[in-house]
C-alpha cells in the first residue's frame, strides 16, 4: 500500500523520534499539535489524506463519510 498523505489529526504525545518515523511512511506528512474545534476544521485537515491517525478527537459520522480517499485510520488511545 502506497501512502501519499498521512495526517495526524490532533494533539498527540509522539516524541521527536516517533514523528521522524511517521514522516517516513508517506510522501506528505502533516502533524497537528492541537485538537480541531469542530467537524469542519477536522474535515479541512483530513482533506485528500490516504491515512489518518487520531489521538483525542472523536471523529463523527460526518467526518468519516467525507474521507473518500482513506486507506488507513489509526487510533492512538488507551
Amino acid at each position: 500500500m502506497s501512502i501519499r498523505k498521512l495526517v495526524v489529526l490532533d494533539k498527540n504525545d509522539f516524541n521527536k523520534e516517533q514523528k521522524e518515523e511517521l514522516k517516513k511512511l508517506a510522501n506528505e506528512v502533516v502533524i497537528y499539535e492541537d485538537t480541531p474545534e469542530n467537524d469542519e476544521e477536522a474535515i479541512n485537515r483530513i482533506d485528500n489524506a490516504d491515512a489518518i491517525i487520531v489521538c483525542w478527537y472523536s471523529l463523527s459520522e460526518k467526518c468519516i463519510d467525507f474521507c473518500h480517499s482513506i486507506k488507513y485510520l489509526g487510533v492512538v488511545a488507551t
Side-chain angles (χ1 to χ4, degrees):
M1 170 174 59
S2 175
I3 300 175
R4 208 178 22 81
K5 181 178 179 182
L6 180 146
V7 174
V8 177
L9 181 64
D10 56 352
K11 181 181 175 200
N12 59 78
D13 293 323
F14 294 125
N15 63 38
K16 182 179 178 180
E17 291 80 19
Q18 291 167 325
K19 289 177 184 177
E20 290 303 315
E21 288 299 315
L22 284 172
K23 291 178 182 177
K24 296 176 185 177
L25 297 176
N27 295 334
E28 178 183 358
V29 177
V30 181
I31 301 174
Y32 289 95
E33 299 293 342
D34 62 335
T35 302
E37 292 187 21
N38 53 46
D39 285 346
E40 287 72 29
E41 185 176 353
I43 287 169
N44 285 333
R45 290 181 181 194
I46 61 178
D47 188 32
N48 296 320
D50 296 316
I52 301 171
I53 297 176
V54 179
C55 302
W56 298 98
Y57 190 75
S58 181
L59 284 176
S60 69
E61 184 176 344
K62 177 181 177 181
C63 290
I64 293 171
D65 285 345
F66 177 81
C67 302
H68 302 291
S69 62
I70 295 301
K71 297 176 184 173
Y72 175 80
L73 171 61
V75 179
V76 181
T78 55

